Amino acid sequence: MLTDPMPAEAVEIAHKQVSLAAEDLDANGVASVLLELVEAWGVPAVWEQVCRLLLARLSGRTAAEIVVEHALFEGIRVGLDAYRREPGRSLPTGGVLLAGAEKEAHSLGLLALAAALREQGRGCLNLGPALPWSALTRAVYRARPRTVVIWSQTPLTGRAYRLVRFARDFPLLRVYGAGPGWIEPLGGPAVRLGTLTEAVNACLAVVPGRDAHHIRYGSVPYR
């Protein structure tokens, strides 16, 4: 584990603090509480035990729930994106590329992983949500990463056969599917990551200080 789990009492207090700020539609308040929590407990623990659980509780069925959900989402987004960022200093990407699956609008999982990597003194190339497979292929040719993590939030975007096909087209890459959208079994060489800690460990396995510019990919176009 990169960090120890939060004690039950700390989780309960965190849920109350974040929920109160979200119910007040105070996204900045949510972000402030989140930044204090991750400094105390680390990104993986706060993401798994606080952020994911609170987001899952909001069904978005009523207007009141929708607006609270948006405040919560925005606060978490701002907090994760601001954590451990230093103006004028860029961390080595270590050959790690992050992207959302095609038509996947959710991006918090990517921001959580990027924040957890910064916590470990590592950077990444985060291309954000909803990246078409053809664009991802082009990004791989341009950036030549060693590891690619594709986030999917729902089964509508977590199409296992597309991920496996992509992984087979680039056999020199470590290709991972992260997020709850990958419900179908992933065949090799693609691998599913079940938790944020697993995702961070997979990205940290890339040797720091080295990129993949020496790797030459074949001319296989994405099908």
Side-chain angles (χ1 to χ4, degrees), residues 20-196:
L20 286 173
E23 288 167 5
D24 287 339
L25 307 186
D26 184 2
N28 287 335
V30 172
S32 296
V33 173
L34 183 67
L35 285 169
E36 293 176 1
L37 290 172
V38 293
E39 285 289 359
W41 303 105
V43 175
V46 174
W47 172 253
E48 298 289 356
Q49 297 181 259
V50 179
C51 299
R52 285 185 57 193
L53 294 179
L54 290 179
L55 288 166
R57 287 179 184 176
L58 294 173
S59 62
R61 293 174 182 167
T62 67
E65 283 187 342
I66 291 172
V67 73
V68 170
E69 184 179 35
H70 276 244
L72 177 61
F73 180 97
E74 181 65 8
I76 293 174
R77 183 192 68 79
V78 171
L80 290 173
D81 200 36
Y83 181 59
R84 297 284 176 94
R85 283 194 182 274
E86 297 182 30
R89 180 193 177 209
S90 61
L91 297 169
T93 63
V96 174
L97 187 153
L98 314 180
E102 187 171 69
K103 298 183 181 180
E104 177 54 70
H106 294 80
S107 61
L108 287 187
L110 297 174
L111 293 177
L113 178 51
L117 289 173
R118 289 196 300 274
E119 190 170 55
Q120 300 297 317
R122 297 283 289 276
C124 63
L125 176 59
N126 183 359
L127 298 182
L131 191 68
W133 291 103
S134 59
L136 177 60
T137 297
R138 181 52 52 191
V140 168
Y141 276 107
R142 291 191 62 178
R144 296 177 183 170
R146 291 176 176 273
T147 297
V148 175
V149 180
I150 309 300
W151 177 269
S152 170
Q153 185 71 24
T154 72
L156 294 177
T157 62
R159 299 183 178 182
Y161 77 94
R162 300 293 295 269
L163 184 68
V164 171
R165 184 192 298 175
F166 174 81
R168 289 174 179 169
D169 281 347
F170 295 101
L172 297 179
L173 280 178
R174 297 181 179 94
V175 177
Y176 299 97
W182 306 106
I183 60 174
E184 297 179 15
L186 297 183
V191 177
R192 187 179 186 278
L193 300 169
T195 66
L196 181 57

Side-chain angles (χ1 to χ4, degrees), residues 9-24:
E9 183 178 0
V11 172
E12 183 178 356
I13 293 173
H15 282 200
K16 289 180 180 178
Q17 291 175 323
V18 175
S19 295
L20 286 173
E23 288 167 5
D24 287 339

